[in-house]
Amino acid sequence: MPRLDARLKLVASEIRGQIHADIGSDHGHLLAALLASGRIQRGIAVENKPQPHRNSSATLERLNADVRLGDGLDVIHENEIDSLSICGMGGQSIVRILCEHPNRLPEQLVLQPNKAIDLVRQWARSNGYWLTDEKSTTGTRRFEVLVLARSISNPDPVYQQLVDAGLDEPMGLMFGPWFLLRNDNELLQRLSEEQRYLQTKQNLTPSSRKRLDLIQQLMSSDHFLSR
């Protein structure tokens, strides 16, 4: 049984259901671990290139899993799965996959974007999914995992909690509402270092300028100063 790294262990800890699909399964290790631990009953691995498809097929050969060759949710049927994971992609790619077949999305999504995480939070905010939790790995590189659940009502209450705490929605979308509400020490330390770095730059891109402005607002907020 392959061992999961800290990032995929964190993802696996949030998944429990009957039929789970993993998009871009990268050797099928996550599904193999989920099946071995009994967290899921059946898995579906989706790969869009032949070699990763062969790799996942070899890992999952004797397990209760399908390995399908296709792009994102193209090869998933409506109402077929009750949870879904997409890990190790950029936020833009994840949002594209989620937008292409909204009728095939399950109740639970566990997403691990490598960049542009704010785009994934904004998608959830606008498409009827509540951000029920956020977790991160520790160490040199921080990987953030978003846990989403479909809701029949809007808006997501975590953003109102953020406002009640004296912060605002743009900060939550950029840095994570749950991280901010919990005063995530590692995140705040990293943002403080990033602030110092960005302040040394002469010509910031619009996105970097926006990020710096939000970091400065956060660092000067009563929520941060009262820590």
Side-chain angles (χ1 to χ4, degrees):
M1 180 58 57
R3 290 190 175 186
L4 300 182
D5 59 19
R7 173 182 64 98
L8 290 182
K9 280 182 180 178
L10 189 58
V11 171
S13 70
E14 298 299 326
I15 296 169
R16 185 175 279 102
Q18 294 297 309
I19 303 176
H20 179 82
D22 187 36
I23 307 295
S25 61
D26 188 24
H27 293 81
H29 292 172
L30 176 62
L31 286 180
L34 290 170
L35 288 163
S37 65
R39 287 183 172 271
I40 63 172
Q41 301 304 309
R42 180 167 166 259
I44 301 173
V46 178
E47 299 287 1
N48 65 0
K49 293 181 177 62
Q51 187 57 54
H53 180 268
R54 287 191 287 271
N55 294 339
S56 290
S57 296
T59 299
L60 299 168
E61 184 178 7
R62 291 184 173 82
L63 300 176
N64 189 19
D66 295 344
V67 183
R68 300 177 186 177
L69 185 62
D71 186 29
L73 292 162
D74 287 355
V75 291
I76 300 295
H77 306 300
E78 189 172 354
N79 298 320
E80 183 179 19
I81 59 176
D82 51 25
S83 58
L84 171 75
S85 56
I86 309 177
C87 306
M89 297 185 193
Q92 288 184 322
S93 297
I94 290 176
V95 168
R96 176 189 64 79
I97 290 170
L98 298 174
C99 286
E100 286 183 342
H101 297 286
N103 60 316
R104 301 180 189 181
L105 294 175
E107 295 295 314
Q108 186 197 50
L109 310 175
V110 181
L111 309 174
Q112 184 267 301
N114 280 346
K115 58 183 179 180
I117 303 175
D118 57 309
L119 297 182
V120 181
R121 293 190 183 100
Q122 182 60 68
W123 174 88
R125 184 86 169 87
S126 304
N127 287 273
Y129 278 84
W130 285 6
L131 183 59
T132 59
D133 202 0
E134 298 174 301
K135 294 185 177 180
S136 70
T137 60
T138 59
T140 305
R141 185 169 183 189
R142 177 185 173 100
F143 294 98
E144 296 184 359
V145 174
L146 311 183
V147 184
L148 305 174
R150 180 183 284 136
S151 173
I152 60 173
S153 63
N154 275 317
D156 186 338
V158 71
Y159 293 99
Q160 184 57 52
Q161 293 180 47
L162 200 66
V163 172
D164 293 342
L167 303 175
D168 60 29
E169 186 171 316
M171 289 180 191
L173 292 171
M174 183 68 73
F175 308 125
W178 288 112
F179 292 131
L180 296 180
L181 288 170
R182 290 194 293 252
N183 277 321
D184 185 290
N185 286 326
E186 185 179 357
L187 174 63
L188 293 173
Q189 180 179 345
R190 288 172 185 260
L191 290 179
S192 181
E193 293 169 357
E194 185 179 352
Q195 179 185 25
R196 290 193 293 272
Y197 169 76
L198 291 174
Q199 286 173 335
T200 67
K201 297 300 178 182
Q202 296 292 327
N203 299 307
L204 293 176
T205 64
S207 61
S208 293
R209 168 52 60 187
K210 176 183 177 182
R211 189 170 173 89
L212 176 57
D213 288 345
L214 287 173
I215 293 174
Q216 290 175 327
Q217 291 175 42
L218 174 63
M219 294 303 176
S220 62
S221 68
D222 291 340
H223 182 77
F224 177 75
L225 294 174
S226 64
R227 290 175 63 244

